[in-house]
Every structure is written in C-alpha cells, then in structure tokens.
Amino acid sequence: MSNALTSQSFPFEVVAKVRESSTITSFHLVPLDRHHWQHFEAGQFLTIQVPDPSTGGYVLRNYTVSSAPSDEGMYRITVKREAALAPGTPQGLASCWLHDVVEEGAIVIINGPRGGFKLDMGSKRPVILLSGGVGITPTISMLKVLANESERPVWFIHACDSGAVHALEKEVETLAARRAGIHVHYCYRFPSGDDVERARFHSAGFISRETVQKLLPLDDYQVYMCGPPPFMQAMYSLLTSLGVGKKNIAYEFFGPASLLSQAGHGDVSGVAAPPPTPIVDQSDNGIHLVLQKSDRRFAWDGSSESILSFLEAQGVEPPFSCRAGVCGSCVQDLVSGDVEYSEEPLDDIPPGRVLLCCSRPTTSIALNL
C-alpha cells in the first residue's frame, strides 16, 4: 500500500499551536475548504501525512482528535513529543516534526476521521474514562460529549508522571464542573514538591486496586481506556480482577491485543488474566480460518473484532502497525473465501489480498500464512 494519502485527503491549516505541558502540544486544524471537515465520533483519529527526510517521501501517522464532535469546522490533535532514537529512525519522526517545524499558518494534509474506538451514546451505563499520559486525548473528547449531552455518571481517572507533563488539566476541571455526576481523579507517579503544595493530584505512585475500590461504587460500568502498553496491561488486569466484564472494556491500543491479558511491568493489581485459549476445530461446520503455510485451522467464533485480533488470540502474530486500515502492514494473501471490512481501508485492496486489522470472514477463508 502507498504511503501517500488518497483522494479523501485534504489540506488543513494550523490556526493555533498551544503548549499543554512540557512534552505535549495541541494543534488546531481548519480545512482550507470548509466542506472538507467531516463529522467524527469521540475517540476517533485523523491520519496525517508527515515528510520523511530519509526518503524524500512521506509517512502516515494517526492522532486522536481531542476536540469535541460539536466543534464543527475544526479538529484538535494533542501530541506528545517523542525523542527520536537516531536520525532517520521512525520513532519521534512525526511528533518532532509537529513540535519543532510546524507552526501556526502551516498546511498539513490529513485524511479522516476513522477508527472503531468510539463512545457508545446508546448505552446508559456509568462510564469510566481511564487514561495514562497522552492517552488522555480520546478520553477528553469523550468527556466533552458526556458533560454536554448526557446525564450518565462519569469517573475520569488520569495517570501521569507529574504536574509538569499533565496536559489539559484545566479543561477537564471545567468540564467536570459543568454538571453533577462527573468525578475526577489524578494519580501522579512522581509528584514534585510544587505538586504537593498545590494539591494537584489525588493519589501517588500507580493506580492501585485499593484506589479503584475506594473511588468506584459497585456498578455495571462501561470502561474506555487509552495509554502506554504497561499502563494498559495493568489496568486491564486490575479491572477484570474486580469483576468488570471484558466486553465492557473498550480500548485504544496500538499493540497485539493479546498483550492486554498478560501481566507486564507496572501491573499493580497483583492479578493476571489467563492467556487466551486457542480455539481449534477440525469439523466442517461454520466458518473456519485456514493458514496454509503453517497447516493450521481455526474455528471462527464471531467474537473478535477482526481477523488480526482473532489470530492473535490463537497465538498467531502476523505483522501489523496501525490496526486501523491505514498503513497496510497487515495485508496478506487471501487464497480463498470472502471477507467484509468494518473499517474501509485507506487504500484499495487488490483482489486476492486482505487487510487483517479491519476485516472479518463471511465464509471460510484460507490465508497464505
């Protein structure tokens, strides 16, 4: 797949660049043609074309929209500056370009919005918005919607290292004060003396089992969480150990989904969820996935959001990157069978190929894996 955006890509002007913390900056984007602004749902992301000096071409990066869907005509992305490992390496390329090169008045090319991590406005369940670091970007967009358009109880729980890197704090407080039923809890891993003096946080260290039990009454929650992998692993293990159903935990996680059920560094719950049990079925009933190279066969149970997630649950880990139909890293040969796409791929998929991250089988299929 190409690293250039498609005909659905449009130029946007950076009309504001706002420093949110020592490492995080927001960019307000307005289309040059107002008709190119598209409605989005809280939690979705934009895909941005970023110049790559090492090749003279472009790379694509996804950034969650941190503004509200009601802010028509403008998108805001809130980006943490990641340090590059070395010149020419992909880590930090996009965030350094945004932080160091892009200024107000610059034009960026975007495609969006897209993504399946979305706030379910049809549910009446109380909501937990759980974030670590720059993972606050989708949860604050969701909080904006819940504060203005819902009466559901909300617990907004955010973890970061200290006040120096805490972004969007005042915005969260303003939203929480908008109506009753919104509760805010900040956990600082390494609070400074100034943080203590100003009482900027509610707990220190890691978000613990005891903290969550004291903070949350017993209820049937819908959880939305986003953050770095160790944080996500720890929170997933903690929540499931407290009885929160896996089907009620939605997350934005750019890594193998199977990692969420493995204990990792930062696991403060003390309880690790067991690894998924592979589903192997040699019968001819129902839909099956056949991996021709490895001579393996699995029964599709219909519960996975994509072929990629399903294969990961069976212990198979195909290559991937964005998990959102953008980068093309997970494209594979489709030897036989048919699939449907829950998220339209950014580029056209040629016949005989399939994008694993956003497709599901509609018949038994065979992959060249």
Side-chain angles (χ1 to χ4, degrees), residues 225 229 232-234 236-237 251 253 256-263 273:
M225 67 176 185
M232 297 281 281
Q233 289 174 325
Y236 186 83
S237 179
Y251 52 84
F253 186 59
S258 57
L259 287 179
L260 286 185
S261 47
Q262 301 171 9

Side-chain angles (χ1 to χ4, degrees), residues 27-225:
F27 300 83
H28 298 243
L29 309 170
V30 172
L32 298 189
D33 181 336
R34 63 184 180 85
H35 295 101
H36 292 159
W37 187 90
Q38 301 172 49
H39 178 76
F40 67 98
E41 296 183 59
Q44 292 190 301
F45 61 84
L46 308 175
T47 301
I48 297 183
Q49 183 173 286
V50 179
D52 183 356
S54 66
T55 65
Y58 297 90
V59 297
L60 304 180
R61 293 293 185 268
N62 302 328
Y63 290 105
T64 302
V65 184
S66 60
S67 51
S70 59
D71 296 333
E72 294 189 7
M74 184 274 294
Y75 299 124
R76 182 183 70 176
I77 59 172
T78 302
V79 181
K80 178 183 177 184
R81 190 185 195 281
E82 303 286 355
L85 293 178
T89 57
Q91 180 172 328
L93 172 66
S95 67
C96 289
W97 175 70
L98 285 166
H99 278 250
D100 302 339
V101 178
V102 173
E103 300 293 344
E104 293 179 2
I107 304 299
V108 297
I109 307 300
I110 72 168
N111 180 290
R114 58 198 297 124
F117 182 58
K118 298 180 290 189
L119 180 65
D120 179 8
M121 288 298 289
S123 173
K124 301 299 182 183
R125 290 191 182 97
V127 177
I128 301 173
L129 301 176
L130 181 58
S131 59
V134 78
I136 196 173
T137 53
T139 60
I140 195 167
S141 182
M142 293 176 179
L143 181 62
K144 289 172 183 287
V145 174
L146 290 165
N148 294 318
E149 303 177 25
S150 172
E151 294 299 321
R152 296 162 69 182
V154 179
W155 281 263
F156 188 93
I157 305 173
H158 179 64
C160 60
D161 279 353
S162 68
V165 296
H166 188 174
L168 306 173
E169 176 185 5
K170 291 182 180 179
E171 195 168 314
V172 170
E173 297 293 344
T174 299
L175 290 167
R178 191 156 293 174
R179 67 167 175 86
I182 299 178
H183 315 272
V184 175
H185 184 93
Y186 300 138
C187 179
Y188 285 3
R189 188 179 178 190
F190 306 114
S192 67
D194 181 63
D195 293 333
V196 174
E197 185 176 341
R198 295 170 56 190
R200 293 186 64 180
F201 60 100
H202 305 93
S203 63
F206 294 103
I207 297 175
S208 68
R209 183 186 185 92
E210 291 71 27
T211 296
V212 174
Q213 286 178 313
K214 290 178 182 178
L215 187 63
L216 301 174
L218 293 175
D219 214 328
D220 183 20
Y221 300 103
Q222 178 67 53
V223 181
Y224 298 89
M225 67 176 185

Side-chain angles (χ1 to χ4, degrees), residues 233-249:
Q233 289 174 325
M235 294 301 98
Y236 186 83
S237 179
L238 189 156
L239 290 168
T240 54
S241 75
L242 290 174
V244 178
K246 294 179 181 179
K247 63 181 177 62
N248 291 339
I249 303 176

